[in-house]
PDB file of all heavy atoms in Angstrom:
ATOM      1  N   ILE R   1     221.076 -51.293 -49.435  1.00  0.00           N
ATOM      2  CA  ILE R   1     219.698 -51.641 -49.776  1.00  0.00           C
ATOM      3  C   ILE R   1     219.603 -52.027 -51.245  1.00  0.00           C
ATOM      4  O   ILE R   1     218.877 -52.965 -51.621  1.00  0.00           O
ATOM      5  CB  ILE R   1     218.756 -50.474 -49.434  1.00  0.00           C
ATOM      6  CG1 ILE R   1     218.829 -50.153 -47.941  1.00  0.00           C
ATOM      7  CG2 ILE R   1     217.334 -50.790 -49.853  1.00  0.00           C
ATOM      8  CD1 ILE R   1     217.985 -48.973 -47.532  1.00  0.00           C
ATOM      9  N   GLY R   2     220.356 -51.315 -52.088  1.00  0.00           N
ATOM     10  CA  GLY R   2     220.340 -51.644 -53.509  1.00  0.00           C
ATOM     11  C   GLY R   2     220.892 -53.034 -53.787  1.00  0.00           C
ATOM     12  O   GLY R   2     220.405 -53.747 -54.671  1.00  0.00           O
ATOM     13  N   ALA R   3     221.912 -53.431 -53.047  1.00  0.00           N
ATOM     14  CA  ALA R   3     222.473 -54.777 -53.234  1.00  0.00           C
ATOM     15  C   ALA R   3     221.459 -55.846 -52.845  1.00  0.00           C
ATOM     16  O   ALA R   3     221.297 -56.854 -53.553  1.00  0.00           O
ATOM     17  CB  ALA R   3     223.753 -54.923 -52.413  1.00  0.00           C
ATOM     18  N   ASP R   4     220.747 -55.643 -51.732  1.00  0.00           N
ATOM     19  CA  ASP R   4     219.718 -56.601 -51.329  1.00  0.00           C
ATOM     20  C   ASP R   4     218.575 -56.640 -52.344  1.00  0.00           C
ATOM     21  O   ASP R   4     218.079 -57.719 -52.700  1.00  0.00           O
ATOM     22  CB  ASP R   4     219.177 -56.243 -49.951  1.00  0.00           C
ATOM     23  CG  ASP R   4     220.175 -56.529 -48.837  1.00  0.00           C
ATOM     24  OD1 ASP R   4     221.318 -56.912 -49.154  1.00  0.00           O
ATOM     25  OD2 ASP R   4     219.808 -56.372 -47.662  1.00  0.00           O
ATOM     26  N   GLY R   5     218.155 -55.464 -52.806  1.00  0.00           N
ATOM     27  CA  GLY R   5     217.069 -55.421 -53.773  1.00  0.00           C
ATOM     28  C   GLY R   5     217.442 -56.085 -55.093  1.00  0.00           C
ATOM     29  O   GLY R   5     216.625 -56.790 -55.699  1.00  0.00           O
ATOM     30  N   THR R   6     218.674 -55.884 -55.528  1.00  0.00           N
ATOM     31  CA  THR R   6     219.125 -56.538 -56.761  1.00  0.00           C
ATOM     32  C   THR R   6     219.133 -58.047 -56.602  1.00  0.00           C
ATOM     33  O   THR R   6     218.721 -58.789 -57.507  1.00  0.00           O
ATOM     34  CB  THR R   6     220.526 -56.041 -57.128  1.00  0.00           C
ATOM     35  OG1 THR R   6     220.504 -54.616 -57.263  1.00  0.00           O
ATOM     36  CG2 THR R   6     220.998 -56.653 -58.429  1.00  0.00           C
ATOM     37  N   PHE R   7     219.575 -58.533 -55.462  1.00  0.00           N
ATOM     38  CA  PHE R   7     219.592 -59.976 -55.219  1.00  0.00           C
ATOM     39  C   PHE R   7     218.177 -60.540 -55.221  1.00  0.00           C
ATOM     40  O   PHE R   7     217.928 -61.621 -55.781  1.00  0.00           O
ATOM     41  CB  PHE R   7     220.285 -60.264 -53.890  1.00  0.00           C
ATOM     42  CG  PHE R   7     220.516 -61.718 -53.632  1.00  0.00           C
ATOM     43  CD1 PHE R   7     221.681 -62.341 -54.058  1.00  0.00           C
ATOM     44  CD2 PHE R   7     219.577 -62.481 -52.957  1.00  0.00           C
ATOM     45  CE1 PHE R   7     221.897 -63.689 -53.832  1.00  0.00           C
ATOM     46  CE2 PHE R   7     219.783 -63.828 -52.725  1.00  0.00           C
ATOM     47  CZ  PHE R   7     220.944 -64.427 -53.162  1.00  0.00           C
ATOM     48  N   VAL R   8     217.242 -59.838 -54.604  1.00  0.00           N
ATOM     49  CA  VAL R   8     215.861 -60.321 -54.552  1.00  0.00           C
ATOM     50  C   VAL R   8     215.250 -60.366 -55.953  1.00  0.00           C
ATOM     51  O   VAL R   8     214.611 -61.360 -56.341  1.00  0.00           O
ATOM     52  CB  VAL R   8     215.019 -59.433 -53.620  1.00  0.00           C
ATOM     53  CG1 VAL R   8     213.536 -59.776 -53.736  1.00  0.00           C
ATOM     54  CG2 VAL R   8     215.467 -59.608 -52.175  1.00  0.00           C
ATOM     55  N   LEU R   9     215.444 -59.319 -56.729  1.00  0.00           N
ATOM     56  CA  LEU R   9     214.870 -59.297 -58.080  1.00  0.00           C
ATOM     57  C   LEU R   9     215.466 -60.384 -58.956  1.00  0.00           C
ATOM     58  O   LEU R   9     214.748 -61.066 -59.697  1.00  0.00           O
ATOM     59  CB  LEU R   9     215.097 -57.914 -58.707  1.00  0.00           C
ATOM     60  CG  LEU R   9     214.326 -56.750 -58.073  1.00  0.00           C
ATOM     61  CD1 LEU R   9     214.693 -55.438 -58.757  1.00  0.00           C
ATOM     62  CD2 LEU R   9     212.819 -56.990 -58.154  1.00  0.00           C
ATOM     63  N   LEU R  10     216.772 -60.567 -58.870  1.00  0.00           N
ATOM     64  CA  LEU R  10     217.399 -61.637 -59.647  1.00  0.00           C
ATOM     65  C   LEU R  10     216.907 -63.006 -59.190  1.00  0.00           C
ATOM     66  O   LEU R  10     216.670 -63.899 -60.017  1.00  0.00           O
ATOM     67  CB  LEU R  10     218.920 -61.546 -59.527  1.00  0.00           C
ATOM     68  CG  LEU R  10     219.591 -60.371 -60.246  1.00  0.00           C
ATOM     69  CD1 LEU R  10     221.083 -60.327 -59.905  1.00  0.00           C
ATOM     70  CD2 LEU R  10     219.413 -60.491 -61.758  1.00  0.00           C
ATOM     71  N   SER R  11     216.760 -63.179 -57.886  1.00  0.00           N
ATOM     72  CA  SER R  11     216.289 -64.468 -57.371  1.00  0.00           C
ATOM     73  C   SER R  11     214.872 -64.760 -57.827  1.00  0.00           C
ATOM     74  O   SER R  11     214.537 -65.908 -58.176  1.00  0.00           O
ATOM     75  CB  SER R  11     216.369 -64.486 -55.846  1.00  0.00           C
ATOM     76  OG  SER R  11     217.705 -64.342 -55.405  1.00  0.00           O
ATOM     77  N   LEU R  12     214.009 -63.750 -57.828  1.00  0.00           N
ATOM     78  CA  LEU R  12     212.643 -63.954 -58.313  1.00  0.00           C
ATOM     79  C   LEU R  12     212.650 -64.359 -59.786  1.00  0.00           C
ATOM     80  O   LEU R  12     211.907 -65.259 -60.205  1.00  0.00           O
ATOM     81  CB  LEU R  12     211.825 -62.683 -58.113  1.00  0.00           C
ATOM     82  CG  LEU R  12     211.515 -62.286 -56.658  1.00  0.00           C
ATOM     83  CD1 LEU R  12     210.799 -60.938 -56.619  1.00  0.00           C
ATOM     84  CD2 LEU R  12     210.668 -63.350 -55.978  1.00  0.00           C
ATOM     85  N   GLY R  13     213.483 -63.687 -60.580  1.00  0.00           N
ATOM     86  CA  GLY R  13     213.572 -64.050 -61.985  1.00  0.00           C
ATOM     87  C   GLY R  13     214.086 -65.465 -62.191  1.00  0.00           C
ATOM     88  O   GLY R  13     213.559 -66.216 -63.026  1.00  0.00           O
ATOM     89  N   PHE R  14     215.095 -65.859 -61.419  1.00  0.00           N
ATOM     90  CA  PHE R  14     215.619 -67.214 -61.525  1.00  0.00           C
ATOM     91  C   PHE R  14     214.573 -68.236 -61.090  1.00  0.00           C
ATOM     92  O   PHE R  14     214.478 -69.329 -61.663  1.00  0.00           O
ATOM     93  CB  PHE R  14     216.889 -67.361 -60.683  1.00  0.00           C
ATOM     94  CG  PHE R  14     218.148 -67.030 -61.433  1.00  0.00           C
ATOM     95  CD1 PHE R  14     218.470 -65.720 -61.740  1.00  0.00           C
ATOM     96  CD2 PHE R  14     219.020 -68.033 -61.830  1.00  0.00           C
ATOM     97  CE1 PHE R  14     219.619 -65.407 -62.431  1.00  0.00           C
ATOM     98  CE2 PHE R  14     220.174 -67.724 -62.527  1.00  0.00           C
ATOM     99  CZ  PHE R  14     220.483 -66.407 -62.831  1.00  0.00           C
ATOM    100  N   GLY R  15     213.795 -67.916 -60.070  1.00  0.00           N
ATOM    101  CA  GLY R  15     212.752 -68.833 -59.634  1.00  0.00           C
ATOM    102  C   GLY R  15     211.700 -69.059 -60.704  1.00  0.00           C
ATOM    103  O   GLY R  15     211.281 -70.197 -60.960  1.00  0.00           O
ATOM    104  N   VAL R  16     211.262 -67.987 -61.355  1.00  0.00           N
ATOM    105  CA  VAL R  16     210.255 -68.119 -62.415  1.00  0.00           C
ATOM    106  C   VAL R  16     210.821 -68.891 -63.602  1.00  0.00           C
ATOM    107  O   VAL R  16     210.161 -69.780 -64.164  1.00  0.00           O
ATOM    108  CB  VAL R  16     209.757 -66.723 -62.831  1.00  0.00           C
ATOM    109  CG1 VAL R  16     208.842 -66.829 -64.045  1.00  0.00           C
ATOM    110  CG2 VAL R  16     209.023 -66.050 -61.678  1.00  0.00           C
ATOM    111  N   LEU R  17     212.054 -68.576 -64.004  1.00  0.00           N
ATOM    112  CA  LEU R  17     212.641 -69.219 -65.176  1.00  0.00           C
ATOM    113  C   LEU R  17     212.891 -70.712 -64.939  1.00  0.00           C
ATOM    114  O   LEU R  17     212.614 -71.542 -65.811  1.00  0.00           O
ATOM    115  CB  LEU R  17     213.944 -68.515 -65.561  1.00  0.00           C
ATOM    116  CG  LEU R  17     213.793 -67.101 -66.148  1.00  0.00           C
ATOM    117  CD1 LEU R  17     215.163 -66.500 -66.420  1.00  0.00           C
ATOM    118  CD2 LEU R  17     212.963 -67.133 -67.423  1.00  0.00           C
ATOM    119  N   THR R  18     213.425 -71.062 -63.777  1.00  0.00           N
ATOM    120  CA  THR R  18     213.694 -72.474 -63.513  1.00  0.00           C
ATOM    121  C   THR R  18     212.407 -73.285 -63.409  1.00  0.00           C
ATOM    122  O   THR R  18     212.325 -74.409 -63.922  1.00  0.00           O
ATOM    123  CB  THR R  18     214.506 -72.629 -62.220  1.00  0.00           C
ATOM    124  OG1 THR R  18     213.865 -71.905 -61.144  1.00  0.00           O
ATOM    125  CG2 THR R  18     215.920 -72.098 -62.400  1.00  0.00           C
ATOM    126  N   ALA R  19     211.378 -72.709 -62.783  1.00  0.00           N
ATOM    127  CA  ALA R  19     210.103 -73.429 -62.702  1.00  0.00           C
ATOM    128  C   ALA R  19     209.474 -73.589 -64.081  1.00  0.00           C
ATOM    129  O   ALA R  19     208.914 -74.654 -64.403  1.00  0.00           O
ATOM    130  CB  ALA R  19     209.146 -72.697 -61.766  1.00  0.00           C
ATOM    131  N   ALA R  20     209.550 -72.556 -64.917  1.00  0.00           N
ATOM    132  CA  ALA R  20     209.002 -72.666 -66.267  1.00  0.00           C
ATOM    133  C   ALA R  20     209.763 -73.701 -67.088  1.00  0.00           C
ATOM    134  O   ALA R  20     209.160 -74.472 -67.847  1.00  0.00           O
ATOM    135  CB  ALA R  20     209.038 -71.304 -66.954  1.00  0.00           C
ATOM    136  N   ALA R  21     211.091 -73.741 -66.950  1.00  0.00           N
ATOM    137  CA  ALA R  21     211.878 -74.728 -67.685  1.00  0.00           C
ATOM    138  C   ALA R  21     211.541 -76.143 -67.236  1.00  0.00           C
ATOM    139  O   ALA R  21     211.415 -77.060 -68.063  1.00  0.00           O
ATOM    140  CB  ALA R  21     213.369 -74.445 -67.502  1.00  0.00           C
ATOM    141  N   VAL R  22     211.378 -76.349 -65.937  1.00  0.00           N
ATOM    142  CA  VAL R  22     211.020 -77.678 -65.436  1.00  0.00           C
ATOM    143  C   VAL R  22     209.635 -78.077 -65.917  1.00  0.00           C
ATOM    144  O   VAL R  22     209.399 -79.241 -66.284  1.00  0.00           O
ATOM    145  CB  VAL R  22     211.115 -77.701 -63.899  1.00  0.00           C
ATOM    146  CG1 VAL R  22     210.506 -78.975 -63.337  1.00  0.00           C
ATOM    147  CG2 VAL R  22     212.562 -77.576 -63.460  1.00  0.00           C
ATOM    148  N   PHE R  23     208.709 -77.146 -65.944  1.00  0.00           N
ATOM    149  CA  PHE R  23     207.362 -77.477 -66.408  1.00  0.00           C
ATOM    150  C   PHE R  23     207.363 -77.840 -67.895  1.00  0.00           C
ATOM    151  O   PHE R  23     206.676 -78.774 -68.322  1.00  0.00           O
ATOM    152  CB  PHE R  23     206.417 -76.309 -66.157  1.00  0.00           C
ATOM    153  CG  PHE R  23     205.001 -76.583 -66.582  1.00  0.00           C
ATOM    154  CD1 PHE R  23     204.166 -77.348 -65.792  1.00  0.00           C
ATOM    155  CD2 PHE R  23     204.513 -76.089 -67.778  1.00  0.00           C
ATOM    156  CE1 PHE R  23     202.862 -77.617 -66.183  1.00  0.00           C
ATOM    157  CE2 PHE R  23     203.212 -76.350 -68.181  1.00  0.00           C
ATOM    158  CZ  PHE R  23     202.382 -77.116 -67.377  1.00  0.00           C
ATOM    159  N   LEU R  24     208.140 -77.119 -68.706  1.00  0.00           N
ATOM    160  CA  LEU R  24     208.238 -77.463 -70.117  1.00  0.00           C
ATOM    161  C   LEU R  24     208.896 -78.824 -70.316  1.00  0.00           C
ATOM    162  O   LEU R  24     208.594 -79.535 -71.269  1.00  0.00           O
ATOM    163  CB  LEU R  24     209.024 -76.377 -70.863  1.00  0.00           C
ATOM    164  CG  LEU R  24     208.330 -75.013 -70.992  1.00  0.00           C
ATOM    165  CD1 LEU R  24     209.256 -74.018 -71.661  1.00  0.00           C
ATOM    166  CD2 LEU R  24     207.029 -75.132 -71.761  1.00  0.00           C
ATOM    167  N   PHE R  25     209.784 -79.175 -69.415  1.00  0.00           N
ATOM    168  CA  PHE R  25     210.477 -80.462 -69.510  1.00  0.00           C
ATOM    169  C   PHE R  25     209.566 -81.615 -69.102  1.00  0.00           C
ATOM    170  O   PHE R  25     209.591 -82.676 -69.718  1.00  0.00           O
ATOM    171  CB  PHE R  25     211.729 -80.436 -68.642  1.00  0.00           C
ATOM    172  CG  PHE R  25     212.417 -81.764 -68.512  1.00  0.00           C
ATOM    173  CD1 PHE R  25     213.074 -82.335 -69.584  1.00  0.00           C
ATOM    174  CD2 PHE R  25     212.400 -82.451 -67.310  1.00  0.00           C
ATOM    175  CE1 PHE R  25     213.695 -83.566 -69.465  1.00  0.00           C
ATOM    176  CE2 PHE R  25     213.021 -83.678 -67.168  1.00  0.00           C
ATOM    177  CZ  PHE R  25     213.675 -84.237 -68.262  1.00  0.00           C
ATOM    178  N   ARG R  26     208.756 -81.419 -68.073  1.00  0.00           N
ATOM    179  CA  ARG R  26     207.924 -82.504 -67.546  1.00  0.00           C
ATOM    180  C   ARG R  26     206.465 -82.427 -67.986  1.00  0.00           C
ATOM    181  O   ARG R  26     205.818 -83.452 -68.137  1.00  0.00           O
ATOM    182  CB  ARG R  26     207.981 -82.502 -66.017  1.00  0.00           C
ATOM    183  CG  ARG R  26     209.214 -83.115 -65.429  1.00  0.00           C
ATOM    184  CD  ARG R  26     209.334 -84.579 -65.771  1.00  0.00           C
ATOM    185  NE  ARG R  26     208.133 -85.325 -65.439  1.00  0.00           N
ATOM    186  CZ  ARG R  26     207.901 -85.871 -64.257  1.00  0.00           C
ATOM    187  NH1 ARG R  26     208.798 -85.756 -63.296  1.00  0.00           N
ATOM    188  NH2 ARG R  26     206.795 -86.527 -64.022  1.00  0.00           N
ATOM    189  N   ARG R  27     205.929 -81.221 -68.149  1.00  0.00           N
ATOM    190  CA  ARG R  27     204.525 -81.034 -68.514  1.00  0.00           C
ATOM    191  C   ARG R  27     203.574 -81.632 -67.481  1.00  0.00           C
ATOM    192  O   ARG R  27     202.469 -82.061 -67.817  1.00  0.00           O
ATOM    193  CB  ARG R  27     204.231 -81.654 -69.878  1.00  0.00           C
ATOM    194  CG  ARG R  27     204.824 -80.893 -71.049  1.00  0.00           C
ATOM    195  CD  ARG R  27     204.081 -79.595 -71.269  1.00  0.00           C
ATOM    196  NE  ARG R  27     204.568 -78.882 -72.441  1.00  0.00           N
ATOM    197  CZ  ARG R  27     204.081 -77.727 -72.856  1.00  0.00           C
ATOM    198  NH1 ARG R  27     203.104 -77.144 -72.177  1.00  0.00           N
ATOM    199  NH2 ARG R  27     204.573 -77.127 -73.907  1.00  0.00           N
ATOM    200  N   ARG R  28     203.987 -81.682 -66.245  1.00  0.00           N
ATOM    201  CA  ARG R  28     203.121 -82.191 -65.193  1.00  0.00           C
ATOM    202  C   ARG R  28     203.635 -81.681 -63.858  1.00  0.00           C
ATOM    203  O   ARG R  28     204.749 -81.154 -63.761  1.00  0.00           O
ATOM    204  CB  ARG R  28     203.082 -83.721 -65.193  1.00  0.00           C
ATOM    205  CG  ARG R  28     204.430 -84.367 -64.996  1.00  0.00           C
ATOM    206  CD  ARG R  28     204.354 -85.870 -65.071  1.00  0.00           C
ATOM    207  NE  ARG R  28     203.486 -86.410 -64.027  1.00  0.00           N
ATOM    208  CZ  ARG R  28     203.264 -87.700 -63.862  1.00  0.00           C
ATOM    209  NH1 ARG R  28     203.814 -88.573 -64.678  1.00  0.00           N
ATOM    210  NH2 ARG R  28     202.502 -88.132 -62.870  1.00  0.00           N
ATOM    211  N   GLY R  29     202.816 -81.818 -62.835  1.00  0.00           N
ATOM    212  CA  GLY R  29     203.213 -81.383 -61.505  1.00  0.00           C
ATOM    213  C   GLY R  29     203.649 -82.559 -60.665  1.00  0.00           C
ATOM    214  O   GLY R  29     204.212 -83.538 -61.158  1.00  0.00           O
ATOM    215  N   GLY R  30     203.394 -82.446 -59.384  1.00  0.00           N
ATOM    216  CA  GLY R  30     203.775 -83.513 -58.471  1.00  0.00           C
ATOM    217  C   GLY R  30     204.586 -82.984 -57.313  1.00  0.00           C
ATOM    218  O   GLY R  30     205.325 -81.996 -57.442  1.00  0.00           O
ATOM    219  N   ILE R  31     204.413 -83.652 -56.170  1.00  0.00           N
ATOM    220  CA  ILE R  31     205.140 -83.219 -54.975  1.00  0.00           C
ATOM    221  C   ILE R  31     206.651 -83.321 -55.148  1.00  0.00           C
ATOM    222  O   ILE R  31     207.379 -82.413 -54.738  1.00  0.00           O
ATOM    223  CB  ILE R  31     204.648 -84.028 -53.759  1.00  0.00           C
ATOM    224  CG1 ILE R  31     203.179 -83.728 -53.480  1.00  0.00           C
ATOM    225  CG2 ILE R  31     205.490 -83.730 -52.529  1.00  0.00           C
ATOM    226  CD1 ILE R  31     202.590 -84.510 -52.336  1.00  0.00           C
ATOM    227  N   PRO R  32     207.202 -84.395 -55.745  1.00  0.00           N
ATOM    228  CA  PRO R  32     208.662 -84.441 -55.907  1.00  0.00           C
ATOM    229  C   PRO R  32     209.210 -83.268 -56.710  1.00  0.00           C
ATOM    230  O   PRO R  32     210.296 -82.747 -56.386  1.00  0.00           O
ATOM    231  CB  PRO R  32     208.889 -85.777 -56.624  1.00  0.00           C
ATOM    232  CG  PRO R  32     207.738 -86.623 -56.225  1.00  0.00           C
ATOM    233  CD  PRO R  32     206.580 -85.681 -56.143  1.00  0.00           C
ATOM    234  N   LEU R  33     208.486 -82.818 -57.739  1.00  0.00           N
ATOM    235  CA  LEU R  33     208.970 -81.683 -58.527  1.00  0.00           C
ATOM    236  C   LEU R  33     208.967 -80.395 -57.715  1.00  0.00           C
ATOM    237  O   LEU R  33     209.913 -79.601 -57.782  1.00  0.00           O
ATOM    238  CB  LEU R  33     208.104 -81.519 -59.778  1.00  0.00           C
ATOM    239  CG  LEU R  33     208.359 -82.485 -60.931  1.00  0.00           C
ATOM    240  CD1 LEU R  33     207.454 -82.156 -62.093  1.00  0.00           C
ATOM    241  CD2 LEU R  33     209.810 -82.431 -61.355  1.00  0.00           C
ATOM    242  N   VAL R  34     207.902 -80.177 -56.973  1.00  0.00           N
ATOM    243  CA  VAL R  34     207.832 -78.955 -56.161  1.00  0.00           C
ATOM    244  C   VAL R  34     208.930 -78.953 -55.097  1.00  0.00           C
ATOM    245  O   VAL R  34     209.606 -77.947 -54.873  1.00  0.00           O
ATOM    246  CB  VAL R  34     206.436 -78.826 -55.523  1.00  0.00           C
ATOM    247  CG1 VAL R  34     206.381 -77.623 -54.596  1.00  0.00           C
ATOM    248  CG2 VAL R  34     205.363 -78.716 -56.598  1.00  0.00           C
ATOM    249  N   VAL R  35     209.133 -80.107 -54.444  1.00  0.00           N
ATOM    250  CA  VAL R  35     210.191 -80.194 -53.434  1.00  0.00           C
ATOM    251  C   VAL R  35     211.552 -79.987 -54.077  1.00  0.00           C
ATOM    252  O   VAL R  35     212.430 -79.304 -53.510  1.00  0.00           O
ATOM    253  CB  VAL R  35     210.118 -81.553 -52.714  1.00  0.00           C
ATOM    254  CG1 VAL R  35     211.302 -81.736 -51.784  1.00  0.00           C
ATOM    255  CG2 VAL R  35     208.818 -81.657 -51.922  1.00  0.00           C
ATOM    256  N   ALA R  36     211.768 -80.546 -55.267  1.00  0.00           N
ATOM    257  CA  ALA R  36     213.051 -80.368 -55.950  1.00  0.00           C
ATOM    258  C   ALA R  36     213.294 -78.901 -56.290  1.00  0.00           C
ATOM    259  O   ALA R  36     214.419 -78.399 -56.144  1.00  0.00           O
ATOM    260  CB  ALA R  36     213.086 -81.222 -57.220  1.00  0.00           C
ATOM    261  N   LEU R  37     212.262 -78.207 -56.739  1.00  0.00           N
ATOM    262  CA  LEU R  37     212.419 -76.783 -57.054  1.00  0.00           C
ATOM    263  C   LEU R  37     212.710 -75.959 -55.804  1.00  0.00           C
ATOM    264  O   LEU R  37     213.533 -75.026 -55.835  1.00  0.00           O
ATOM    265  CB  LEU R  37     211.167 -76.268 -57.754  1.00  0.00           C
ATOM    266  CG  LEU R  37     210.999 -76.668 -59.220  1.00  0.00           C
ATOM    267  CD1 LEU R  37     209.616 -76.255 -59.724  1.00  0.00           C
ATOM    268  CD2 LEU R  37     212.077 -76.028 -60.077  1.00  0.00           C
ATOM    269  N   VAL R  38     212.038 -76.275 -54.708  1.00  0.00           N
ATOM    270  CA  VAL R  38     212.255 -75.514 -53.473  1.00  0.00           C
ATOM    271  C   VAL R  38     213.663 -75.757 -52.931  1.00  0.00           C
ATOM    272  O   VAL R  38     214.393 -74.813 -52.595  1.00  0.00           O
ATOM    273  CB  VAL R  38     211.189 -75.883 -52.427  1.00  0.00           C
ATOM    274  CG1 VAL R  38     211.532 -75.271 -51.079  1.00  0.00           C
ATOM    275  CG2 VAL R  38     209.811 -75.411 -52.882  1.00  0.00           C
ATOM    276  N   VAL R  39     214.065 -77.030 -52.863  1.00  0.00           N
ATOM    277  CA  VAL R  39     215.405 -77.345 -52.341  1.00  0.00           C
ATOM    278  C   VAL R  39     216.485 -76.804 -53.264  1.00  0.00           C
ATOM    279  O   VAL R  39     217.458 -76.183 -52.824  1.00  0.00           O
ATOM    280  CB  VAL R  39     215.548 -78.861 -52.147  1.00  0.00           C
ATOM    281  CG1 VAL R  39     216.967 -79.219 -51.743  1.00  0.00           C
ATOM    282  CG2 VAL R  39     214.575 -79.352 -51.078  1.00  0.00           C
ATOM    283  N   GLY R  40     216.324 -77.031 -54.578  1.00  0.00           N
ATOM    284  CA  GLY R  40     217.308 -76.515 -55.520  1.00  0.00           C
ATOM    285  C   GLY R  40     217.372 -74.999 -55.534  1.00  0.00           C
ATOM    286  O   GLY R  40     218.458 -74.413 -55.648  1.00  0.00           O
ATOM    287  N   GLY R  41     216.209 -74.342 -55.411  1.00  0.00           N
ATOM    288  CA  GLY R  41     216.214 -72.882 -55.376  1.00  0.00           C
ATOM    289  C   GLY R  41     216.897 -72.324 -54.146  1.00  0.00           C
ATOM    290  O   GLY R  41     217.628 -71.329 -54.219  1.00  0.00           O
ATOM    291  N   LEU R  42     216.680 -72.965 -52.992  1.00  0.00           N
ATOM    292  CA  LEU R  42     217.342 -72.503 -51.772  1.00  0.00           C
ATOM    293  C   LEU R  42     218.853 -72.700 -51.856  1.00  0.00           C
ATOM    294  O   LEU R  42     219.636 -71.793 -51.511  1.00  0.00           O
ATOM    295  CB  LEU R  42     216.767 -73.243 -50.568  1.00  0.00           C
ATOM    296  CG  LEU R  42     217.307 -72.828 -49.194  1.00  0.00           C
ATOM    297  CD1 LEU R  42     217.054 -71.346 -48.935  1.00  0.00           C
ATOM    298  CD2 LEU R  42     216.677 -73.669 -48.093  1.00  0.00           C
ATOM    299  N   LEU R  43     219.272 -73.872 -52.343  1.00  0.00           N
ATOM    300  CA  LEU R  43     220.709 -74.108 -52.500  1.00  0.00           C
ATOM    301  C   LEU R  43     221.308 -73.172 -53.549  1.00  0.00           C
ATOM    302  O   LEU R  43     222.437 -72.684 -53.393  1.00  0.00           O
ATOM    303  CB  LEU R  43     220.954 -75.564 -52.890  1.00  0.00           C
ATOM    304  CG  LEU R  43     220.591 -76.609 -51.839  1.00  0.00           C
ATOM    305  CD1 LEU R  43     220.814 -78.017 -52.394  1.00  0.00           C
ATOM    306  CD2 LEU R  43     221.404 -76.406 -50.566  1.00  0.00           C
ATOM    307  N   GLY R  44     220.559 -72.920 -54.630  1.00  0.00           N
ATOM    308  CA  GLY R  44     221.051 -72.000 -55.642  1.00  0.00           C
ATOM    309  C   GLY R  44     221.192 -70.579 -55.117  1.00  0.00           C
ATOM    310  O   GLY R  44     222.146 -69.868 -55.470  1.00  0.00           O
ATOM    311  N   ALA R  45     220.250 -70.141 -54.289  1.00  0.00           N
ATOM    312  CA  ALA R  45     220.349 -68.801 -53.709  1.00  0.00           C
ATOM    313  C   ALA R  45     221.567 -68.682 -52.793  1.00  0.00           C
ATOM    314  O   ALA R  45     222.289 -67.682 -52.824  1.00  0.00           O
ATOM    315  CB  ALA R  45     219.072 -68.473 -52.944  1.00  0.00           C
TER     316      ALA R  45
END
């Protein structure tokens, strides 16, 4: 259970950090950005 919980917490942190970095890079939203974050996050996990 601890291994699963550690993976989830790390994944949540990576999701927040990558989205914040992309937003600072683009300063705008858009469907392509959201899709890129979702696909990249799933592949990264």
Side-chain angles (χ1 to χ4, degrees):
I1 300 177
D4 288 5
T6 303
F7 188 89
V8 170
L9 292 178
L10 289 174
S11 298
L12 292 175
F14 270 73
V16 173
L17 290 177
T18 51
V22 169
F23 181 79
L24 291 176
F25 172 70
R26 281 297 308 272
R27 288 288 184 180
R28 59 183 299 181
I31 296 178
L33 282 182
V34 176
V35 173
L37 284 172
V38 171
V39 174
L42 183 59
L43 294 177

